[in-house]
């Protein structure tokens, strides 16, 4: 067991409550998560994934995608943005696990490019986004 997993030992049994892809994707992701993450940050990430998986009967699918893409997401942004990404996905999952799964599953390159778009352009897009509700 790696040092990262030892720090998460108390939480790992919670993954057993969900279908295998949740735990499988977590196990694939944990060695790829940055070493710079503190034990507290890594624990928070796992807790958020478990919380997403436990929201509804089908939210485990969103959690599986969450764990699958997390290493790529966090490697492309500051930790504070990663926290916001996790919060947005969890919030979406409350509304629709299917929508949250799509959010986590979406091609990450698109999200990276969206972060580099000037702030003014994002404001111009805001009315369009509101129309989509």
């Amino acid at each position: 067991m790696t040092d990262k997993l030892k720090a998460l030992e108390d939480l790992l049994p919670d993954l057993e409550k969900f279908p295998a892809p949740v735990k499988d994707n977590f196990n694939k992701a944990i060695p790829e998560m940055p070493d710079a993450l503190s034990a507290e940050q890594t624990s928070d990430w796992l807790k958020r994934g478990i919380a997403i998986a436990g929201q509804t009967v089908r939210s485990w699918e969103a959690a599986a995608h969450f764990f699958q893409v997390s290493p790529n997401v966090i490697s492309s942004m500051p930790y504070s943005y990663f926290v916001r990404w996790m919060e947005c996905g969890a919030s979406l999952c409350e509304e629709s696990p299917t929508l949250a799964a799509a959010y986590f599953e979406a091609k990450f390159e698109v999200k990276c490019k969206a972060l580099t778009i000037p702030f003014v352009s994002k404001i111009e897009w805001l009315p369009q986004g509101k129309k989509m509700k």
Side-chain angles (χ1 to χ4, degrees), residues 44-104:
D44 180 56
W45 167 69
L46 175 54
K47 287 176 185 175
R48 288 175 190 259
I50 290 169
I52 290 168
Q55 285 185 8
T56 69
V57 174
R58 297 297 302 264
S59 60
W60 68 266
E61 294 167 328
H65 291 300
F66 167 83
F67 286 126
Q68 181 181 22
V69 301
S70 287
N72 288 334
V73 174
I74 195 165
S75 69
S76 301
M77 61 181 63
Y79 182 74
S80 60
Y81 287 17
F82 182 66
V83 169
R84 185 68 186 127
W85 175 80
M86 293 188 291
E87 290 170 348
C88 288
S91 179
L92 282 172
C93 196
E94 289 173 7
E95 298 294 322
S96 167
T98 304
L99 184 58
Y103 170 78
F104 292 128

Side-chain angles (χ1 to χ4, degrees), residues 3-70:
D3 290 340
K4 287 181 186 178
L5 286 177
K6 285 180 185 175
L8 305 173
E9 218 169 6
D10 294 340
L11 297 171
L12 294 178
D14 291 338
L15 290 173
E16 300 291 338
K17 299 175 187 174
F18 308 106
V22 176
K23 184 178 179 185
D24 292 347
N25 287 353
F26 167 79
N27 286 332
K28 290 175 190 170
I30 191 68
E32 297 178 28
M33 293 298 280
D35 292 331
L37 287 181
S38 69
E40 182 180 322
Q41 290 170 328
T42 305
S43 176
D44 180 56
W45 167 69
L46 175 54
K47 287 176 185 175
R48 288 175 190 259
I50 290 169
I52 290 168
Q55 285 185 8
T56 69
V57 174
R58 297 297 302 264
S59 60
W60 68 266
E61 294 167 328
H65 291 300
F66 167 83
F67 286 126
Q68 181 181 22
V69 301
S70 287

